[in-house]
Amino acid sequence: MEQEQFNPRTDLSALNAAVNQIRTVLGNIIVGQKQVIDFLIVGLLADGHILIEGVPGVAKTLSAKLLAKSIDAQFSRVQFTPDLMPSDVLGTPIFNTKTGDFEFRKGPIFGNIILVDEINRAPAKTQSALFEVMEERQVTIDGQTYIMDEPFMVLATQNPIEQEGTYRLPEAQLDRFLFKIEVKYPSLEEETAILMAQHTLVNKTLLNEVKPVLSIQQIQEARAIIRNLFVEPKLLEFIAKIVTETRNNSSLYLGASPRASLAIVHSAKAFAAIQDRDFVTPEDIIAVAVPVLAHRILLSPEKEMEGLTTSDIVNQIIKKIEVPR
C-alpha cells in the first residue's frame, strides 16, 4: 500500500541522450571546460541567459556558437562596439515608399539563441536596450510590442581584464543573467591536447560536422519536465538561507534578490536532470550557487581591497549553513 503513494519515476532517458550528445559534440572541439559545457546546457534547459567571462582566447565565443549549432533553432550574433545604437540591436521602423507606411525591420535580437559578443564594449544606452527583452521576452518600439519566439536565450561574452573602451554592466542587467560562467585557462595537459588538435586540423573538420541535436519542441518538452521535478521543502529553505545570508553578510555591500532564489531553484532542477535524476539534492544547489549568485552581489570596499571575490564569499556562506539531509 505504501508503494502506491509514490509517483512513477520521471523518464529522463531521451533528455539525457540529447545532453550526452551535446557534451560529446562540444567536448570534441572544446578541450577541457567540462563544467562550462554543463552550465551552458543547464542554462538552456532552465530557460535562462548566460554571461560568459574570460580572458581572450579561451573559447568563450566558440563555446556559445557550438551550443547554438547543436540546437535546431534560429541563431544570430551581435558584436557590441562603442558606437552601437539600440536600434542596431532591436530593430527600427523603415519607411516603405510603395505603401507610404512605416514597417518595423527586426534587429538581430529577434532569434532563438542570440550571441552578444563583448557585451561590455557598448555604452549604457545600448546595454539598457536589452533590459526588457531579457526579462519580459518582448520588445517595445514606438508603442508597439513584439513578442519573442521561444526558446529565447542570450549568450553574452565579456573580457574581465581589459578596461579601455569597455563599460561596466549595470547591476540590473547582471541580475537578468541566470549564470555568470568564468572560463579559466586550460591545464598543461589540456593545452597540449589543444595544440595537437590544431596541428592535425581535427577541430576544423569537427566544427563543420556539428549537426543539431535538439529541436525547439524537444527543448520545450524538456523544460516542462524539469519544471515539475521534485524539490523537498527543506531544500527550498536551504536556498532561502543562502540568499538571505548574502543580505546580512558584513563582507557584502549588496545582497542577492528573490530573483536569485528562483534562479537557484530552476538551475538546480536542470542540473539534477542532466545527472539523470528527477529530484534535487543539496549537492545540486551547491553546484549552481556560485554561478547564480557571484554576479548578483557586491563586495564591501574592505574585502575588495583584501583581494577576495564574490565567489569566495558565496562559498564561505555555504560552509556556514548546515546542509539538509
Side-chain angles (χ1 to χ4, degrees):
M1 293 294 293
E2 291 183 0
Q3 293 181 348
E4 294 177 1
Q5 297 176 1
F6 294 91
N7 293 324
R9 188 180 186 284
T10 306
D11 184 11
L12 299 172
S13 57
L15 170 61
N16 275 277
V19 167
N20 287 331
Q21 278 186 277
I22 296 175
R23 280 173 172 158
T24 301
V25 168
L26 271 67
N28 284 339
I29 300 173
I30 305 294
V31 178
Q33 311 293 5
K34 292 181 180 179
Q35 188 180 61
V36 173
I37 292 171
D38 274 359
F39 281 146
L40 286 172
I41 297 170
V42 168
L44 175 69
L45 297 177
D47 194 12
H49 310 297
I50 296 178
L51 178 62
I52 309 171
E53 184 177 270
V55 298
V58 290
K60 301 186 300 296
T61 303
L62 179 60
S63 300
K65 287 172 65 178
L66 284 171
L67 178 69
K69 207 166 184 181
S70 62
I71 310 300
D72 188 12
Q74 184 180 347
F75 170 71
S76 63
R77 174 178 176 173
V78 191
Q79 183 71 47
F80 269 31
T81 56
D83 61 346
L84 195 72
M85 299 295 291
S87 58
D88 296 327
V89 179
L90 304 179
T92 185
I94 300 294
F95 184 72
N96 189 325
T97 55
K98 294 182 179 179
T99 63
D101 294 323
F102 281 92
E103 297 177 354
F104 179 63
R105 180 173 294 175
K106 293 181 178 180
I109 199 67
F110 285 86
N112 298 119
I113 299 180
I114 317 300
L115 170 59
V116 178
D117 215 5
E118 298 190 88
I119 188 171
N120 56 336
R121 288 201 172 276
K125 184 177 181 180
T126 302
Q127 289 180 8
S128 64
L130 297 176
F131 281 20
E132 180 186 12
V133 70
M134 288 179 67
E135 178 62 21
E136 302 175 42
R137 313 298 173 96
Q138 65 180 36
V139 171
T140 304
I141 304 288
D142 290 343
Q144 180 70 39
T145 299
Y146 303 89
I147 307 298
M148 311 304 290
D149 292 333
E150 293 292 338
F152 175 72
M153 181 183 191
V154 174
L155 295 168
T157 68
Q158 73 172 9
N159 175 359
I161 60 168
E162 193 169 351
Q163 301 299 322
E164 189 174 346
T166 62
Y167 303 82
R168 183 171 178 172
L169 299 187
E171 281 71 26
Q173 184 173 8
L174 286 171
D175 200 37
R176 283 162 167 76
F177 285 101
L178 178 74
F179 286 153
K180 184 176 84 167
I181 304 174
E182 294 186 8
V183 184
K184 307 291 186 182
Y185 282 120
S187 65
L188 174 61
E189 293 77 13
E190 290 168 348
E191 187 129 8
T192 303
I194 291 170
L195 293 173
M196 290 294 293
Q198 287 293 330
H199 176 63
T200 56
L201 298 179
V202 170
N203 283 7
K204 186 176 180 180
T205 305
L206 288 173
L207 186 60
N208 296 331
E209 294 177 355
V210 174
K211 297 291 187 291
V213 172
L214 279 174
S215 66
I216 290 176
Q217 183 179 350
Q218 287 174 309
I219 292 172
Q220 291 172 332
E221 290 172 354
R223 287 176 174 178
I225 291 171
I226 288 168
R227 279 194 294 269
N228 291 320
L229 293 191
F230 180 68
V231 185
E232 292 185 17
K234 62 182 180 181
L235 294 182
L236 296 176
E237 185 180 356
F238 180 50
I239 294 170
K241 285 180 178 179
I242 293 172
V243 175
T244 302
E245 180 58 30
T246 66
R247 302 167 194 160
N248 303 318
N249 194 291
S250 59
S251 299
L252 297 176
Y253 174 73
L254 176 71
S257 69
R259 184 187 284 160
S261 302
L262 294 170
I264 293 177
V265 174
H266 297 324
S267 52
K269 286 181 179 181
F271 193 83
I274 69 169
Q275 314 300 324
D276 200 17
R277 276 188 281 101
D278 62 349
F279 59 92
V280 173
T281 67
E283 287 71 27
D284 298 323
I285 295 167
I286 293 170
V288 302
V290 169
V292 168
L293 293 174
H295 62 290
R296 302 172 191 267
I297 57 180
L298 290 178
L299 283 173
S300 65
E302 297 80 13
K303 295 301 178 182
E304 199 166 0
M305 290 179 66
E306 290 177 16
L308 290 174
T309 66
T310 52
S311 299
D312 295 331
I313 304 302
V314 173
N315 285 321
Q316 288 176 13
I317 289 172
I318 292 172
K319 289 177 181 177
K320 285 170 53 179
I321 300 172
E322 184 180 356
V323 178
R325 296 297 176 188

